[in-house]
Amino acid sequence: MSLEHYPEHILDHSKNPRNRGTLDPADIVQREDNPLCGDKLELTLRLDAQGRVADVKFSGEGCAISMASMSLVSEELRGKSVDELLAFPKDKVLDLIGVPLTPPRLRCAFLSYHAVQNGTKAFRSKPRGK
Ligand code: ZN
């Protein structure tokens, strides 16, 4: 393992993740893992009556980049509609991280993105009984 030096905001978000926890009940629950690195996370989102994100929490464990990425992304999600969640740009994740990443680290960084995408897609394809 090489020693990696990340900027302060990455270290901060990985050590003190924002929106840490689990929402129960939640409208969107999505688990993602990255076996190459050992990162695991579970994202839970609750929507309000207008179908916008009212609250977001995530749990899990992993490397600094995966945790910082999920923490940074989670701060962007409140107030977004389902359409806006699906339109969340992948590049935005890299903007939030703000340092160049090697390909293996990109997988760690994009775990949060996949959690949002896959969770929202699964939510959308669920039949609604109301
Ligand atoms: Zn990782």
Side-chain angles (χ1 to χ4, degrees):
M1 283 281 269
S2 65
L3 210 77
E4 288 162 295
H5 295 282
Y6 295 122
E8 197 55 46
H9 78 282
I10 295 293
L11 296 174
D12 177 37
H13 273 268
S14 67
K15 283 181 196 151
N16 309 296
R18 317 303 195 267
N19 303 307
R20 183 107 180 143
T22 306
L23 293 172
D24 185 21
D27 296 297
I28 295 176
V29 178
Q30 183 66 30
R31 291 187 186 87
E32 294 290 334
D33 68 313
N34 173 18
L36 291 177
C37 180
D39 310 318
K40 287 184 201 308
L41 60 88
E42 183 183 74
L43 177 68
T44 53
L45 294 173
R46 196 175 286 160
L47 305 179
D48 65 16
Q50 283 74 45
R52 291 183 176 272
V53 176
D55 205 0
V56 47
K57 296 261 186 237
F58 78 97
S59 60
E61 54 193 42
C63 64
I65 287 293
S66 67
M67 291 297 109
S69 167
M70 190 69 256
S71 176
L72 288 158
V73 167
S74 73
E75 291 197 303
E76 302 289 317
L77 302 180
R78 276 193 187 79
K80 283 199 175 358
S81 67
V82 167
D83 284 338
E84 288 166 344
L85 289 176
L86 287 173
F88 192 88
K90 211 173 179 182
D91 286 350
K92 173 84 178 170
V93 179
L94 299 180
D95 287 348
L96 290 167
I97 290 175
V99 282
L101 297 172
T102 58
R105 282 290 178 236
L106 285 175
R107 297 180 73 107
C108 303
F110 287 136
L111 206 59
S112 61
Y113 171 81
H114 292 305
V116 173
Q117 284 290 311
N118 294 336
T120 308
K121 282 179 189 157
F123 170 78
R124 197 167 245 179
S125 64
K126 243 189 281 177
R128 218 51 57 73
K130 282 186 221 169

